[in-house]
Amino acid sequence: MRVAVAGATGNIGARTAAALERAGHEVVRISRSLGMDLITGDGLDAALSGVDAVVDATSHEAADRDEAVAYFGTATRNLLAAEAPAGVRHHVLLTIVGVDRVEGNAHYAGKREQERLVSQGPVPWSIVPFTQFHDFAATVVAWTEHEGVATIPPLLVQPIAPSDVADVLAEIAAGTPQGRYRDVAGPEPQDLVDMARRTNDARGHSVKLVPTWSSILGPEMAGDVLLPGEDARIAPTTFEEWLANDRRSGRGTI
């Protein structure tokens, strides 16, 4: 198959492109750095010529809800508008477990807009919800760290390895449209504060962690809000395996 990956230079997009190529597919990488712009639509028509499926692994950090909705909405509309005349038969969207249970988060609002547009759009689709990634705790620390102190919410999550996310996306893209796919998660629940502590220790990063809900992620995400449903697909790589690889390599490849 010929598969396009939007966000192909990002954390998940790059891994998904590699997973598709390992499976023998031809990959078209879509990224602004490669001359294709989802916001303006520049380069999309040429990129999608002859493409069978598209994986949307784009991401965007926005603190403002309206900005997030506008970004994800514009990018998704442009992508779908280019896919339809190109004859794309399958649009695969990476989304987040629990995205419909959290109202106050700007990023989640943007992802819900993506889901709405894809599910109502002209291209057959699969929407695939994943839990947070194994490197999510380190990302939150990077967001909040200031003068050796980082605030971090005591979230309960069931994290998944980025490489497992990529493998699932590649598998689904090569198949028939699934509609809304079941939740996909890592093997076991983890406390985000403990994940951050262990990741910092493995990387030799010294920072004081302050658990608090008065941070960038609020109490609406507490309890089991971010955990997968009972019928979830469980990916194989544990947080401990990912952390061991991260420690050996200087930054994990799994």
Side-chain angles (χ1 to χ4, degrees), residues 33-57:
S33 64
L34 300 175
M36 291 148 282
D37 194 321
L38 292 175
I39 298 303
T40 65
D42 291 345
L44 293 183
D45 290 341
L48 295 180
S49 177
V51 163
D52 301 295
V54 172
V55 177
D56 186 353

Side-chain angles (χ1 to χ4, degrees), residues 36-210:
M36 291 148 282
D37 194 321
L38 292 175
I39 298 303
T40 65
D42 291 345
L44 293 183
D45 290 341
L48 295 180
S49 177
V51 163
D52 301 295
V54 172
V55 177
D56 186 353
T58 55
S59 187
H60 180 71
E61 292 183 12
D64 180 77
R65 179 190 183 98
D66 291 342
E67 179 192 347
V69 171
Y71 177 88
F72 282 115
T74 299
T76 303
R77 288 186 188 92
N78 285 339
L79 196 53
L80 292 172
E83 288 175 20
V88 173
R89 301 192 300 270
H90 191 186
H91 182 100
V92 181
L93 174 64
L94 181 160
T95 191
I96 307 168
V97 167
V99 73
D100 57 339
R101 299 193 289 265
V102 179
E103 280 297 324
N105 184 280
H107 185 71
Y108 280 36
K111 296 300 289 184
R112 285 195 297 273
E113 178 67 359
Q114 269 191 312
E115 291 189 12
R116 184 185 72 82
L117 292 168
V118 169
S119 64
Q120 297 177 3
V123 180
W125 52 274
S126 300
I127 293 176
V128 192
F130 293 91
T131 53
Q132 282 68 35
F133 308 147
H134 284 329
D135 52 4
F136 181 61
T139 299
V140 174
V141 169
W143 285 341
T144 66
E145 184 176 352
H146 179 67
E147 295 182 350
V149 177
T151 58
I152 187 164
L155 296 176
L156 183 63
V157 296
Q158 192 163 328
I160 183 171
S163 62
D164 288 344
V165 173
D167 288 344
V168 171
L169 289 173
E171 172 199 313
I172 291 174
T176 58
Q178 301 286 313
R180 188 167 189 90
Y181 195 74
R182 56 186 171 142
D183 293 348
V184 186
E188 55 194 5
Q190 300 282 345
D191 173 77
L192 191 68
V193 178
D194 184 58
M195 287 174 63
R197 177 187 58 77
R198 292 160 67 191
T199 302
N200 289 339
D201 288 347
R203 294 179 175 181
H205 183 56
S206 179
V207 58
K208 179 181 179 181
L209 298 176
V210 179

